[in-house]
Amino acid sequence: MDEAPAEPGWLCRVLPHSGRGPLLLITALVLVLAGTGLGTWAAGTWPWPKDRYCWGAWEEDSGPGFLGDEAFAEDDDGSRTGRQTAPTRERPTGSCEVAIASDYQSSYDGDEVTTDQKVSVEYGPVPKAAEARLAMVQDGFLGGDMVPLPDGLPGTVNGRGGLLVLPKSCDTHGRPTVVTMHASGTYAIGPSYTKNDPADLGGARQAAVLLVAAANRAMAAAGCAPDEPLRVSSPLYDLPGKQERVFSTSDDVCGIRGLRLDATDIEDQIGAVTRDLQTCSVRGDRDGVPYLNLAMVAQPRLAAVFDGIAGERPAARGWRGTGTLGKEHAIVRADCSGRTVIFLMGISTDPGHLAVFANAAAARLGCAPIAPKGAGR
């Protein structure tokens, strides 16, 4: 049986059948599109699709400053570009980057203003080598200004970026896979003035949302996503205090009794103080040069980042657990009331600093000292 001819569309039915049909058709389409555009433009929903970045996780104009027009300041011709390499089952590494470039003359004094900003995300297993892993995780994401991710998510975040440890289903070659995010950038006026000016992530909470959204997309691409996507729904942890200047070598730093440095041109930042995480950092009060980073990690997935690099012997005579005291980093792994706890030190090479910190953290958690008596002197 022959099929009935398809019913003509509404445009074909309303247009006259003449040589002017194609022209009228084009005219009608333009009018339809114009009418739709005007209607949606007035409603603030112009129909052209918005750009998406980082494997589709972030949408243009979706909230944080680096995704909106405010990223370009006074530059009407500023550009925002994205590039990415998605992870796959066969190659479980990936990266994405959003770059903002702006170049304009200041309306205030006419000086040439240039901004270059980036938001970079990396997906992949933590490094195999111990020093590389400690430098990446501890130096980059366990400073005193980082706060724990909410809702039990294993990781840390601040207004410039963060780290999230993915579920065990995403492990690669026995090492945890992490997603890291970092905002950077510079602001220059003329040829002689330049300052750091990271891309605006919208604060620590918005940064957590961005990080988790990117992680969900990356895990889906790599084929290891959990049944339910990860979410950020609870408030973020509030840091107990701001940076405090250290005025005397007899002053305790990071709120820990007996933890002292032979310097006075420094300031400390007390970070998280929870059952799962404790951090503090000390930097130069003028130049920001790091003096000391200390961290205690007990959250299981975050602690797993340091598996296999603490050695098989005690860090020193009389110390509990296993560990190593290196030139740039120190790590001790010990049992604390039935939980595996990691104690970390960076920048300083004085084991006494780690001893005081580790014993103070252990006492707070209600377990036996990590370092022997007198090790902190």
Side-chain angles (χ1 to χ4, degrees):
M1 179 181 296
D2 294 337
E3 293 185 2
E7 183 179 359
W10 67 270
L11 273 176
C12 293
R13 295 199 302 271
V14 300
L15 290 174
H17 298 282
S18 69
R20 294 181 299 165
L23 177 61
L24 291 172
L25 175 59
I26 293 172
T27 302
L29 286 171
V30 170
L31 290 173
V32 168
L33 291 174
T36 303
L38 288 172
T40 54
W41 185 20
T45 56
W46 183 255
W48 313 125
K50 294 181 181 293
D51 289 334
R52 299 192 72 92
Y53 305 94
C54 213
W55 314 303
W58 308 336
E59 186 178 71
E60 179 185 8
D61 295 327
S62 62
F66 80 97
L67 293 175
D69 290 341
E70 57 266 39
F72 306 120
E74 301 175 36
D75 186 2
D76 294 333
D77 297 321
S79 66
R80 179 170 43 239
T81 57
R83 62 180 182 179
Q84 62 184 32
T85 301
T88 64
R89 293 177 185 271
E90 296 74 26
R91 182 185 48 77
T93 60
S95 64
C96 66
E97 178 185 277
V98 179
I100 298 112
S102 183
D103 191 353
Y104 61 95
Q105 281 191 327
S106 170
S107 60
Y108 174 70
D109 54 17
D111 285 344
E112 191 73 16
V113 179
T114 302
T115 61
D116 289 289
Q117 299 176 320
K118 292 181 181 179
V119 180
S120 305
V121 175
E122 300 286 339
Y123 174 102
V126 292
K128 185 176 182 179
E131 273 295 329
R133 194 181 311 183
L134 290 167
M136 171 193 166
V137 180
Q138 185 193 0
D139 294 353
F141 301 101
L142 289 176
D145 62 345
M146 306 293 289
V147 300
L149 287 170
D151 303 301
L153 296 172
T156 60
V157 69
N158 64 12
R160 301 180 307 279
L163 171 144
L164 172 63
V165 186
L166 302 184
K168 192 172 178 61
S169 59
C170 295
D171 283 4
T172 303
H173 305 305
R175 304 194 303 275
T177 292
V178 299
V179 175
T180 62
M181 179 176 67
H182 179 67
S184 60
T186 58
Y187 173 89
I189 302 178
S192 58
Y193 177 79
T194 301
K195 71 171 184 177
N196 288 330
D197 185 32
D200 179 13
L201 299 181
R205 181 177 174 78
Q206 183 63 63
V209 172
L210 291 167
L211 176 64
V212 170
N216 282 328
R217 290 296 183 118
M219 288 189 291
C224 65
D227 293 338
E228 294 292 331
L230 306 181
R231 300 184 185 280
V232 174
S233 57
S234 301
L236 260 63
Y237 176 89
D238 287 329
L239 289 178
K242 298 181 179 180
Q243 291 178 333
E244 296 288 344
R245 187 171 180 182
V246 178
F247 292 98
S248 170
T249 56
S250 62
D251 289 347
D252 296 332
V253 299
C254 292
I256 298 174
R257 185 176 181 179
L259 182 57
R260 296 166 184 168
L261 301 180
D262 295 328
T264 56
D265 56 343
I266 56 176
E267 58 185 15
D268 64 356
Q269 170 71 67
I270 299 174
V273 184
T274 72
R275 184 170 178 266
D276 286 337
L277 183 67
Q278 181 173 347
T279 61
C280 78
S281 58
V282 183
R283 297 179 178 273
D285 64 352
R286 295 183 179 180
D287 54 19
V289 173
Y291 274 67
L292 174 67
N293 288 330
L294 293 164
M296 179 280 297
V297 178
Q299 205 284 339
R301 281 301 289 168
L302 188 54
V305 164
F306 303 102
D307 283 353
I309 63 173
E312 299 179 354
R313 297 180 178 179
R317 176 176 290 185
W319 287 58
R320 287 204 304 117
T322 62
T324 58
L325 301 174
K327 293 182 178 180
E328 297 182 5
H329 298 90
I331 178 172
V332 173
R333 176 189 176 99
D335 177 85
C336 191
S337 299
R339 305 178 78 200
T340 296
V341 181
I342 308 294
F343 301 93
L344 302 161
M345 180 176 69
I347 312 302
S348 171
T349 59
D350 186 343
H353 296 151
L354 181 60
V356 173
F357 172 76
N359 284 346
R364 185 176 64 83
L365 296 175
C367 63
I370 304 301
K373 186 176 181 180
R377 295 176 183 173

